[in-house]
Amino acid sequence: NKLLNSEAMKKQEEYWTSVFKEEVPVLDMPTDYPRPTMQSFEGESIGFKVDRELTEKIKKINRTNGTTMYMTLLGAYNILLSKYSGQEDIVIGSPIAGRPNAQLQDIVGMFVNTLAMRNYPKGEKTFREFLQEVKKNALNAYENEEYQFDELVEKLDIRKDLSRNAIFDTMFVLQNIDIEKIDMEGVMLKPYKFGLDISKFDITLTAVETEKEIGFNLEYCTKLFKRESIERIRDHFVNILKEIAENPEKKISEIDMLSEEEKRKILVEFNDTKAEYPKDKTIYELFEEQVEKTPDNIAVVYEENQLSYRELNNRANQLARLLREKGVGPDKIVGIMVERSLEMIVGIMGIIKAGGAYLPIDSEYPKERIEYMLEDSKADILLTQTQLVGKSEFSGNIIEIDREDLYVGDSSNLDKMSTSSNLAYVIYTSGTTGRPKGVMIEHKSLVNLCKWHVNEYDINVDDKSLKYAGWGFDASVWEIFPYIIKGATLYIIKSGINVDINELNNYFDVNKITIAFLPTQICEQFILTEHKTLRKLLTGGDALKNYVKTDYKVVNNYGPTENTVVSTNFVVSSGYSNIPIGKPIANTRIYIANKNNKLQPVGVPGQLCISGEGLARGYLNRPELTAEKFVSNPYESGERMYKTGDLARWLPDGNIEFIGRIDHQVKIRGFRIEL
């Protein structure tokens, strides 16, 4: 009669619809494989127990807080899922016997219903506070347990997604019926444990409470998770239980699910990148040393024109003397706006030999952007070419570096004026996340990048490298300096060729290019062709999706402008659904952290943060923004750390998987949009 009471059912419906009046969240657990378009029920499970000591501590929490074992374990499971997903709105399914009154107790049949338990494990709450919320929500759910789950799904009009369950993707079950053995006259019955190769949900956690311990079983979908990932989830759940058992007053954000061994692996093993480099030298000193070794080697080629190392050094010295006469010195920013040409390299070497920092300005930039960069940088000298004079309004000193009358007089090396702690260059970001910002890079950071690059890719005097990237992008820095400090030949590609794959292929073959950088989209087309002389192809700038086996090595790279171009690299191979961005380069340390700066374990996404020798000095004329993005390193005293705003995670082998921008993730149950 109670089940047929429409008034009671109406009240229960009102309760459940109030619980889900806000959009039902998708639990965005990190998976090892892309989610299939159709839901898979292929599964496995692993069992584990917590010992008597921990069980007693959990029971003490129950007694102190007036909660049941179900409520405490459900609270801990919420915290686990929150830390894995980064979400603070969690829905977990939970079965209930469905026999609320005595008349049903002795009736044979399936009365089990499913309750959708929605809780909010926000970081600022203590576990004790959160546990009281879980208790309240559980009691309310029990009072409304007769409202059928299928009716709730229909009432909420959940968008159909064939790859997911409705409302929730994970279950928690507490079995508290003691059926270890049943004695009957002449017969003893014991439960038989058997494995099932199915999983009805992404993950199901089952707990069995006995007098001395708590046993658990983690059932998981094998189309989503590897066994080793579930083993880590198991260990992290136990660590959370230990944390809350020791101190229930600890805030959720402060609950640490990593073991000391995991921390050591991430902080020490994955970040074992220390390497010697000439940190007291400037980049132009290394260039001058190379000039002494290979003065007659060809340094740079553009179309039919070329300069030897001696010629490039001489012209840069002559230009540098002129710049010093005009007041250029340490940390003085000099703008340079040129088209692809030999003057591009002469100009930047002249500026840094004078002791200044060069500011590259692409001549194809809109007039407003050019003027903004010159004004914001407070540059009062602009190096340019005759045909570009007048492209923008500039009240400072304009020097046309394609005029031959500039290159006269003393061509010997200048006295050293700048040090490794002075600026080498300032590059402005694209401005896609706000106004363009000038990033200040010092010589020692550039030297560290170049020395790593030379060693990693075995750069030598026989190499012929490509200058492809746009002049205003930091990749351009990477294409120039590692090669001219080792005696290689730099080929500056002509505009137009860079966007025509056929012409680009021909350029590689005709000039016998041995190593080059290509942006991701161009690289994915380029690797479909063969090249006899190419030994290394470097790429980066976007997520590399397509790869085919080549005769040369393809290397995927990642790095923000704020960390001197490159932070990680990965020699691409097959077997990855999402090609990693690799491991940190020399003297670079990577941390994957949650919003509370707590280290994320292997497999769990978080913000990618960078520390080490490559860090920029900061943003030009933006002390507040610099303080916001370049923070004290919480994992290494006295060091700074850059918060990239990128989402990534460690893989078990120490490589890093890039996921996307943190602020570009939009998730709605039923479908997912990635901007």
Side-chain angles (χ1 to χ4, degrees):
N1 289 336
K2 187 177 179 182
L3 292 176
L4 297 176
N5 186 323
S6 60
E7 188 63 31
M9 285 298 100
K10 184 177 180 182
K11 288 182 179 180
Q12 294 206 15
E13 181 181 284
E14 289 174 354
Y15 167 76
W16 286 110
T17 52
S18 69
V19 170
F20 293 99
K21 62 183 178 182
E22 298 175 353
E23 188 74 48
V24 181
V26 170
L27 180 62
D28 194 35
M29 286 287 285
T31 59
D32 297 308
Y33 310 106
R35 184 175 290 273
T37 55
M38 294 289 290
Q39 185 179 2
S40 170
F41 297 102
E42 296 179 28
E44 290 181 358
S45 64
I46 59 174
F48 61 102
K49 296 178 180 180
V50 297
D51 59 29
R52 184 169 188 168
E53 181 182 358
L54 181 53
T55 299
E56 285 302 318
K57 289 180 179 180
I58 295 172
K59 288 180 178 179
K60 183 179 178 180
I61 291 177
N62 297 338
R63 292 192 298 269
T64 304
N65 293 275
T67 55
T68 64
M69 183 63 74
Y70 171 85
M71 296 169 185
T72 302
L73 295 180
L74 178 62
Y77 190 44
N78 267 274
I79 293 171
L80 173 78
L81 297 177
S82 178
K83 289 186 177 293
Y84 261 77
S85 66
Q87 297 167 242
E88 295 180 330
D89 182 357
I90 306 290
V91 183
I92 299 172
S94 196
I96 194 160
R99 297 171 183 264
N101 39 51
Q103 294 95 322
L104 297 176
Q105 297 306 313
D106 297 324
I107 298 178
V108 175
M110 174 61 74
F111 292 89
V112 174
N113 190 22
T114 302
L115 303 182
M117 312 294 268
R118 188 172 194 174
N119 288 286
Y120 301 88
K122 296 185 181 297
E124 66 271 14
K125 300 173 184 176
T126 66
F127 176 72
R128 192 183 300 278
E129 291 170 340
F130 178 59
L131 181 56
Q132 291 303 316
E133 291 181 8
V134 173
K135 175 183 177 181
K136 179 182 177 181
N137 291 338
L139 292 175
N140 286 335
Y142 299 157
E143 290 178 4
N144 296 277
E145 66 176 74
E146 295 150 28
Y147 190 73
Q148 295 299 296
F149 177 72
D150 290 344
E151 292 184 28
L152 176 61
V153 173
E154 186 176 343
K155 180 69 177 178
L156 295 178
D157 192 25
I158 298 293
R159 297 180 181 90
K160 302 299 182 184
D161 184 343
L162 297 179
S163 70
R164 293 182 178 273
N165 287 284
I167 302 185
F168 54 81
D169 294 307
T170 183
M171 289 276 286
F172 173 66
V173 183
L174 177 64
Q175 297 281 10
N176 53 10
I177 302 174
D178 186 7
I179 53 171
E180 275 303 303
K181 63 179 182 178
I182 301 173
D183 288 324
M184 297 187 298
E185 186 176 349
V187 180
M188 185 180 74
L189 303 177
K190 291 195 302 183
Y192 175 76
K193 296 180 180 179
F194 59 94
L196 289 176
D197 57 356
I198 61 170
S199 178
K200 295 181 180 179
F201 297 88
D202 293 1
I203 300 177
T204 298
L205 175 64
T206 301
V208 179
E209 180 185 2
T210 64
E211 184 178 342
K212 296 181 180 180
E213 60 188 11
I214 307 171
F216 294 93
N217 186 73
L218 261 176
E219 181 182 280
Y220 63 97
C221 176
T222 52
K223 288 292 186 180
L224 296 177
F225 301 100
K226 296 178 180 178
R227 187 175 183 84
E228 51 264 39
S229 297
I230 298 300
E231 289 172 346
R232 286 194 297 270
I233 290 176
R234 171 201 62 194
D235 295 343
H236 294 149
F237 179 66
V238 173
N239 289 342
I240 288 173
L241 289 177
K242 291 177 180 178
E243 288 266 299
I244 63 178
E246 288 298 323
N247 185 7
E249 298 299 336
K250 183 176 283 189
K251 288 185 177 180
I252 291 175
S253 62
E254 297 172 352
I255 294 174
D256 196 348
M257 63 181 180
L258 274 77
S259 67
E260 290 303 315
E261 175 59 26
E262 284 181 292
K263 292 177 185 177
R264 189 205 65 78
K265 188 170 188 177
I266 290 169
L267 293 175
V268 179
E269 185 178 325
F270 287 177
N271 280 297
D272 183 16
T273 62
K274 188 174 181 179
E276 294 298 322
Y277 76 101
K279 61 177 64 178
D280 295 326
K281 289 190 176 182
T282 61
I283 197 70
Y284 64 80
E285 288 179 282
L286 298 179
F287 169 70
E288 289 171 354
E289 291 174 5
Q290 187 60 45
V291 172
E292 290 295 316
K293 295 175 183 177
T294 57
D296 297 321
N297 277 23
I298 302 303
V300 56
V301 176
Y302 178 69
E303 294 189 300
E304 304 303 321
N305 304 309
Q306 62 184 36
L307 291 173
S308 68
Y309 272 81
R310 179 188 288 110
E311 291 168 333
L312 173 58
N313 190 51
N314 290 346
R315 291 173 78 85
N317 286 336
Q318 291 165 331
L319 178 59
R321 284 189 164 80
L322 173 62
L323 293 174
R324 279 197 181 175
E325 291 173 6
K326 295 183 179 298
V328 175
D331 287 357
K332 179 78 171 181
I333 298 173
V334 179
I336 174 169
M337 181 173 65
V338 294
E339 295 175 341
R340 295 171 183 265
S341 60
L342 300 181
E343 286 79 26
M344 177 183 286
I345 311 302
V346 172
I348 63 173
M349 294 308 298
I351 293 170
I352 62 175
K353 276 173 166 282
Y358 77 94
L359 167 63
I361 302 173
D362 196 314
S363 60
E364 296 182 0
Y365 282 159
K367 179 174 179 290
E368 295 76 14
R369 180 178 169 93
I370 295 173
E371 292 174 355
Y372 168 78
M373 292 169 65
L374 290 169
E375 181 181 354
D376 185 70
S377 66
K378 296 180 172 55
D380 55 15
I381 298 176
L382 175 64
L383 306 188
T384 189
Q385 294 163 308
T386 304
Q387 69 269 25
L388 299 178
V389 174
K391 184 172 176 60
S392 62
E393 295 181 13
F394 179 64
S395 58
N397 197 336
I398 296 178
I399 300 176
E400 299 168 37
I401 60 172
D402 54 347
R403 286 173 43 192
E404 281 301 316
D405 59 347
L406 294 182
Y407 304 102
V408 294
D410 189 356
S411 62
S412 63
N413 292 335
L414 289 74
D415 293 334
K416 181 179 177 180
M417 183 177 286
S418 56
T419 69
S420 63
S421 295
N422 289 124
L423 295 180
Y425 66 86
V426 174
I427 280 188
Y428 275 74
T429 61
S430 62
T432 54
T433 58
R435 286 197 308 165
K437 304 174 288 290
V439 179
M440 301 181 288
I441 301 295
E442 298 173 348
H443 277 274
K444 62 176 180 288
S445 298
L446 179 55
V447 169
N448 179 67
L449 170 74
C450 292
K451 279 298 182 180
W452 164 79
H453 184 99
V454 166
N455 294 333
E456 180 75 8
Y457 303 122
D458 191 26
I459 306 304
N460 58 71
V461 295
D462 296 322
D463 272 316
K464 296 182 178 182
S465 65
L466 187 71
K467 171 70 190 72
Y468 177 98
W471 176 229
F473 292 102
D474 64 342
S476 182
V477 174
W478 191 31
E479 292 179 310
I480 297 171
F481 292 104
Y483 303 102
I484 65 172
I485 68 169
K486 284 301 291 183
T489 302
L490 182 64
Y491 283 77
I492 302 175
I493 198 167
K494 183 181 178 181
S495 294
I497 295 178
N498 57 335
V499 293
D500 188 314
I501 290 296
N502 292 329
E503 288 196 42
L504 185 63
N505 290 336
N506 185 61
Y507 188 91
F508 269 72
D509 291 339
V510 168
N511 294 289
K512 297 180 170 57
I513 300 298
T514 61
I515 185 167
F517 165 83
L518 293 177
T520 307
Q521 292 84 353
I522 300 296
C523 172
E524 290 177 335
Q525 300 176 56
F526 184 85
I527 59 177
L528 300 176
T529 59
E530 295 182 2
H531 296 279
K532 294 181 179 179
T533 60
L534 187 63
R535 63 185 186 85
K536 292 277 195 322
L537 180 61
L538 316 177
T539 189
D542 205 347
L544 182 63
K545 298 181 178 65
N546 302 320
Y547 169 71
V548 295
K549 187 174 177 57
T550 60
D551 292 332
Y552 48 86
K553 288 186 177 179
V554 177
V555 185
N556 194 28
N557 299 271
Y558 163 87
T561 305
E562 289 84 349
N563 193 59
T564 318
V565 191
V566 179
S567 303
T568 66
N569 77 319
F570 176 76
V571 178
V572 182
S573 59
S574 302
Y576 291 90
S577 57
N578 184 14
I579 296 173
I581 57 174
K583 300 178 180 180
I585 71 167
N587 300 306
T588 298
R589 294 173 295 284
I590 301 293
Y591 311 103
I592 309 295
N594 64 20
K595 63 181 181 181
N596 299 301
N597 278 341
K598 290 285 187 181
L599 288 177
Q600 296 287 61
V602 168
V604 181
Q607 180 168 198
L608 194 157
C609 303
I610 308 172
S611 184
E613 298 295 296
L615 281 194
R617 181 185 294 180
Y619 296 113
L620 183 65
N621 303 322
R622 305 280 186 86
E624 296 84 5
L625 187 61
T626 298
E628 176 188 340
K629 293 291 188 179
F630 294 86
V631 300
S632 295
N633 187 340
Y635 319 110
E636 194 170 355
S637 178
E639 297 292 327
R640 294 184 307 148
M641 179 179 80
Y642 173 66
K643 301 168 72 173
T644 66
D646 289 332
L647 196 65
R649 65 174 178 173
W650 288 108
L651 298 177
D653 59 3
N655 283 299
I656 298 167
E657 181 183 70
F658 178 80
I659 298 173
R661 290 291 296 177
I662 289 176
D663 52 359
H664 287 183
Q665 299 288 318
V666 180
K667 304 175 187 71
I668 302 173
R669 177 158 289 278
F671 60 93
R672 170 171 170 167
I673 303 172
E674 292 186 356
L675 302 180

